Amino acid sequence: MASAPPSGLPLFYNELQPLSSSVHGDYIMRRQESAPFLAKAHAVPLTVEEFGLAQRHFPIVFSAGPNPVPLALMGLNEGVNMYVDDEGKLTSDVYVPAYVRRYPFMLAKLQQNSDELSLCFDPTADVVGQGGEGDALFADGQPSDATKAILGFCEQFEQAGQRTAAFMKELGDLKLLIDGEVAIQPEGAAQPFIYRGFQMISEDKLRELRGDQARKLIQSGLLALVYAHLFSLSLIRDLFARQMQAGRVPVQQPELQA
């Protein structure tokens, strides 16, 4: 996963703490118009439900390594996000991935030997805490409507994550993923910019599928996801052009670290 913190926690999360009425009974969720944690994130995880919307705005690729996940590219270089400013405010009307909207909450196991998931949050996030204006997380010791909505969203995200894992398994079983590489030669540049470090679906391997394999992809609805990914790849050059115009392309040949 792109830019995961050294703690081993998921991207963006610095700490995790279970939400509890006894400890956080007076906590609120503040309304914010920016996401500072997103300012330096160039790749954000996606679920399969989001492909249709995301492919209109971002290139969709897959992370490198043995357990790839779908990623929305918001920049082609580490620390570069072309869709938000330095404060994390959106600079254009684009789709915001659910992974971003979920933060600072998530469902997590509190005990390794249990499958039960508990609603947790990152206590280092300014959006949750004591004082200020916002929505109370508890009312009379019980989860508020705001907390119930957060829990419902996190549950939907977990379910989408399971469907995404099933999609990735299918891609792996069919051996459709290959190491990606994009070479972009700007006018006047002595040599092309080469971006690697991600995976993509091979159109050649897709065409070579047996009839029964292709029929399974069509009937399951997964083929639409495959083409959403493939169509989105044309946006890589648009994203590069935006970075070039903004002066945010490294002088040396870069390598995309998805």
Side-chain angles (χ1 to χ4, degrees), residues 21-256:
S21 60
S22 59
V23 179
H24 311 110
D26 58 348
Y27 274 39
I28 65 168
M29 182 174 66
R30 305 182 182 98
R31 296 181 180 87
Q32 292 191 338
E33 297 181 355
S34 63
F37 58 88
L38 187 58
K40 300 297 182 182
H42 75 292
V44 176
L46 281 176
T47 64
V48 290
E49 277 86 348
E50 301 178 275
F51 275 35
L53 285 172
Q55 61 97 18
R56 304 175 189 175
H57 303 279
F58 316 108
I60 299 172
V61 299
F62 304 96
S63 59
N67 298 300
V69 297
L71 298 170
L73 290 183
M74 305 185 85
L76 297 181
N77 298 93
E78 190 78 33
V80 175
N81 189 319
M82 295 305 299
Y83 296 88
V84 298
D85 61 19
D86 291 340
E87 296 179 354
K89 292 183 179 179
L90 290 173
T91 55
S92 57
D93 185 16
V94 299
Y95 175 74
V96 179
Y99 188 96
V100 176
R101 289 180 278 124
R102 179 185 64 160
Y103 184 81
F105 298 95
M106 69 175 294
L107 292 176
K109 289 183 182 180
L110 297 183
Q111 298 180 345
Q112 292 298 324
N113 59 353
S114 173
D115 292 332
E116 184 177 352
L117 298 175
S118 299
L119 183 61
C120 301
F121 73 102
D122 183 350
T124 69
D126 291 336
V127 69
V128 175
Q130 297 169 301
E133 296 182 359
D135 297 321
L137 294 177
F138 294 96
D140 299 324
Q142 298 298 318
S144 66
D145 288 342
T147 298
K148 292 176 182 177
I150 292 167
L151 177 60
F153 184 81
C154 289
E155 289 175 340
Q156 291 174 4
F157 186 87
E158 288 298 316
Q159 294 165 4
Q162 294 172 10
R163 290 188 285 272
T164 303
F167 171 64
M168 297 309 302
K169 182 180 184 303
E170 190 69 23
L171 294 184
D173 290 346
L174 295 174
K175 296 180 171 51
L176 290 178
L177 289 177
I178 59 172
D179 292 335
E181 178 176 311
V182 175
I184 301 176
Q185 179 80 49
E187 185 177 352
Q191 54 189 354
F193 286 82
I194 309 295
Y195 289 93
R196 303 187 184 95
F198 64 98
Q199 296 186 75
M200 58 188 287
I201 291 173
S202 167
E203 293 189 66
D204 290 337
K205 292 187 176 184
L206 187 62
R207 284 191 290 265
E208 293 168 1
L209 287 178
R210 300 192 313 267
D212 60 320
Q213 293 173 323
R215 185 163 53 253
K216 181 180 178 183
L217 280 180
I218 294 171
Q219 292 175 342
S220 65
L222 297 184
L223 188 60
L225 302 175
V226 169
Y227 278 107
H229 152 69
L230 292 173
F231 292 152
S232 77
L233 294 179
S234 65
L235 296 178
I236 289 179
R237 294 182 181 278
D238 295 341
L239 189 52
F240 178 85
R242 291 178 64 177
Q243 283 192 206
M244 178 68 77
Q245 186 175 13
R248 303 187 71 181
V249 174
V251 175
Q252 294 182 339
Q253 285 193 1
E255 184 163 306
L256 189 156

